[in-house]
Amino acid sequence: GESVGLHLPTLSVQEGDNSIINCAYSNSASDYFIWYKQESGKGPQFIIDIRSNMDKRQGQRVTVLLNKTVKHLSLQIAATQPGDSAVYFCAENLNQGAQKLVFGQGTRLTINP
Amino acid sequence: EAGVTQFPSHSVIEKGQTVTLRCDPISGHDNLYWYRRVMGKEIKFLLHFVKESKQDESGMPNNRFLAERTGGTYSTLKVQPAELEDSGVYFCASSLGTSQTDTQYFGPGTRLTVL
């Protein structure tokens, strides 16, 4: 079956440090992945995406790495800020004629002052 | 530009009652999705509309759930009769196109509590 999961449910880092959030997926045919951020009381917000023909993609303070060999995805956030505190989800779009997203369980990131 | 909006933000009902959730997508977005997150579990896909047509309803849990999108604008999700296990947060999302890389923009969700 298809599944996208996260290694750690919670992560705490000091403000200014870098953080890494990990995600494992099981469908080797998956070719598109997205990271979402969900703040309290809000819906998931798109952060960054990556296609399977890439192994790295950078945005503003965020980098997504994809390792297709071990079916692993990670989100790196540089110089964390208090506003980065949220739950982060990885999601997989299987593109099997439909656009449904398959989400992982989520990792709660807490930035300590 | 307004984002995806959902109403109500919270709903508390008793088992056996009916609840209707509403989603207004971003203007011009033909694609509308429903997802839900039940306690302690991941966000799961329910269904996908393209305009007023159901493109994929493979995630709908059972026939107590009915989604509509008459006119291809806003959508409603009705749960009748509600059961305890229906409690959770129901998210709506919309996207402009149907390509794999078309971003799905999520609303704030409706928190449903069934007592």
Side-chain angles (χ1 to χ4, degrees):
Chain A
E2 63 212 32
S3 68
V4 181
L6 292 164
H7 295 310
L8 297 173
T10 61
L11 177 65
S12 292
V13 299
Q14 291 298 121
E15 182 178 353
D17 287 352
N18 299 333
S19 67
I20 300 176
I21 300 171
N22 296 302
C23 177
Y25 64 95
S26 62
N27 191 333
S28 57
S30 298
D31 61 358
Y32 180 61
F33 305 88
I34 312 107
W35 280 100
Y36 279 89
K37 171 186 180 183
Q38 186 181 10
E39 297 174 273
S40 180
K42 298 182 180 180
Q45 177 186 8
F46 173 91
I47 302 174
I48 192 168
D49 58 0
I50 189 167
R51 301 192 74 117
S52 61
N53 61 354
M54 304 171 70
D55 53 19
K56 180 179 180 179
R57 191 167 188 213
Q58 288 184 293
Q60 187 176 17
R61 289 199 304 115
V62 294
T63 301
V64 56
L65 299 177
L66 176 63
N67 185 330
K68 295 182 288 295
T69 301
V70 295
K71 291 184 285 188
H72 184 267
L73 191 69
S74 68
L75 177 71
Q76 300 179 357
I77 305 174
T80 53
Q81 304 168 357
D84 294 329
S85 292
V87 178
Y88 290 81
F89 296 95
C90 62
E92 174 183 7
N93 186 320
L94 301 180
N95 199 30
Q96 296 171 344
Q99 303 310 111
K100 69 178 184 180
L101 296 176
V102 177
F103 282 85
Q105 189 175 13
T107 292
R108 180 173 298 280
L109 176 65
T110 301
I111 309 302
N112 300 313
Chain B
E1 179 182 287
V4 177
T5 58
Q6 294 187 243
F7 182 83
S9 57
H10 294 85
S11 180
V12 180
I13 61 172
E14 297 201 347
K15 175 182 173 181
Q17 290 185 321
T18 298
V19 63
T20 300
L21 314 181
R22 173 169 170 146
C23 168
D24 286 79
I26 292 172
S27 179
H29 282 195
D30 286 339
N31 296 274
L32 187 149
Y33 312 81
W34 284 99
Y35 292 84
R36 74 171 180 176
R37 186 180 189 192
V38 295
M39 183 66 70
K41 297 193 175 181
E42 65 272 20
I43 299 171
K44 284 201 169 181
F45 168 85
L46 296 178
L47 88 161
H48 169 207
F49 283 99
V50 177
K51 297 185 180 179
E52 68 275 11
S53 299
K54 292 175 184 175
Q55 176 77 12
D56 180 357
E57 51 184 329
S58 62
M60 294 289 266
N62 52 61
N63 59 10
R64 295 187 293 103
F65 289 74
L66 174 64
E68 296 180 316
R69 195 184 181 195
T70 306
T73 54
Y74 71 91
S75 174
T76 59
L77 179 65
K78 180 190 288 188
V79 185
Q80 180 184 29
E83 298 289 344
L84 299 178
E85 63 265 25
D86 300 332
S87 295
V89 181
Y90 289 75
F91 293 104
C92 176
S94 71
S95 68
L96 185 61
T98 52
S99 75
Q100 188 182 41
T101 56
D102 271 292
T103 301
Q104 294 185 27
Y105 296 91
F106 281 76
T110 293
R111 181 174 294 278
L112 174 64
T113 302
V114 182
L115 303 177

